[in-house]
Amino acid sequence: KQWYQRRVAITAGTNAISKSLSPIKCNVEELFSPNNRPLKVDDALLGSIYQHFTFQSKAIWARKVEGSNAATEGYRSLICFATGAVLPPLDHWAFIARGTFGDLVAYFIAQFGTDSYIPSAEERAEWSEKAPFLAILQEANKKHVALCLCQSKENTDVWYLKEERAAGGGLYYDWGGDVFKNGVIVSESFRQEDWTQMTTPLKLFDLNEVIFRTSSAGKKYHAVNNNFAKSMFQLA
């Protein structure tokens, strides 16, 4: 009975807190359920009940870049073959972490794009000069987590990547399995094989701080030479 009362109190608290925080409008807003939009990981949220969530599992999720097709993929493959270069696929990557508090679940989502800028440690003291980089938090709903990566409702297939080791010893990331396919979430429940255990379990504040230690901090967005999700995955 005590646990049930605590569970009800926690749920009521998160629902009330959610209404007082800063939900964001997503590019595929019409695909989200009412009142279940992601929240900005800002100072208000970091000081809320969400600070008690512990994040233990991490992943890189990806989707196709808008406008990429078989022709552009073929051109990329031709460049790799002709030059020996190892180029990343034409995908948009995001870092995802899964956290829990009691039996509640939340997902931390951090992604880097053309309009993003992550300030360096030196720049963080001068927020007025650089817009702060904000991750987002989504409660429970894996479908909505996947949709947070998407820019159009015609391009919503999302998958996760697995870290692999090449014959020469280097690391690379390859398709691991579908997360959201043809408008359907592949698995609503937690499957360990879809995730990688974090180096150390982190509270929300500490996980958010990792963003500013990535190799992307203090650099402009670059589609090839500034892979934020990979750096975040390796540090977390």
Side-chain angles (χ1 to χ4, degrees):
K1 183 178 179 181
Q2 289 180 339
W3 167 246
Y4 174 75
Q5 292 173 337
R6 180 170 176 263
R7 171 69 175 83
V8 170
I10 291 172
T11 302
T14 55
N15 288 340
I17 289 289
S18 296
K19 294 176 182 178
S20 68
L21 295 175
S22 305
I24 66 168
K25 185 174 182 179
C26 297
N27 292 310
V28 288
E29 183 77 6
E30 66 273 24
L31 301 182
F32 279 74
S33 302
N35 303 318
N36 199 6
R37 287 157 56 191
L39 301 169
K40 295 179 182 178
V41 181
D42 54 15
D43 288 343
L45 188 133
L46 290 170
S48 74
I49 195 171
Y50 294 104
Q51 67 184 294
H52 301 297
F53 278 72
T54 300
F55 294 82
Q56 297 179 306
S57 302
K58 62 183 178 180
I60 295 174
W61 288 9
R63 63 155 171 85
K64 286 292 181 188
V65 169
E66 301 296 321
S68 64
N69 52 36
T72 53
E73 284 284 6
Y75 179 66
R76 170 190 164 278
S77 298
L78 181 61
I79 292 176
C80 292
F81 178 79
T83 65
V86 179
L87 299 178
L90 296 173
D91 302 331
H92 171 70
W93 292 11
F95 172 83
I96 313 292
R98 182 182 185 273
T100 57
F101 177 44
D103 60 348
L104 300 178
V105 177
Y107 296 90
F108 177 92
I109 307 156
Q111 48 191 332
F112 198 41
T114 53
D115 297 326
S116 305
Y117 184 83
I118 302 173
S120 65
E122 293 76 15
E123 292 170 323
R124 290 186 72 187
E126 301 177 0
W127 288 117
S128 59
E129 295 185 10
K130 295 289 184 182
F133 179 91
L134 294 176
I136 55 180
L137 194 80
Q138 176 68 53
E139 287 187 68
N141 195 318
K142 284 176 70 176
K143 171 185 174 181
H144 289 177
V145 179
L147 291 175
C148 287
L149 275 66
C150 303
Q151 291 187 316
S152 72
K153 60 184 180 180
E154 292 76 28
N155 180 25
T156 59
D157 286 353
V158 175
W159 58 93
Y160 69 91
L161 300 171
K162 279 293 188 182
E163 188 176 67
E164 307 284 356
R165 189 166 295 279
L171 294 174
Y172 69 97
Y173 296 83
D174 201 3
W175 183 89
D178 290 315
V179 174
F180 191 65
K181 183 73 173 178
N182 298 325
V184 178
I185 197 73
V186 174
S187 174
E188 292 281 2
S189 61
F190 175 71
R191 300 190 306 183
Q192 185 61 60
E193 62 268 26
D194 298 349
W195 300 87
T196 298
Q197 186 172 354
M198 292 176 60
T199 305
T200 303
L202 296 174
K203 296 295 187 182
L204 180 60
F205 177 84
D206 296 319
L207 177 59
N208 195 62
E209 286 295 298
V210 176
I211 290 172
F212 304 100
R213 294 194 285 110
T214 64
S215 59
S216 297
K219 299 177 184 177
K220 293 182 179 179
Y221 171 81
H222 192 283
V224 177
N225 296 322
N226 194 2
N227 193 322
F228 163 76
K230 181 175 73 171
S231 180
M232 185 80 182
F233 183 86
Q234 292 174 345
L235 288 174

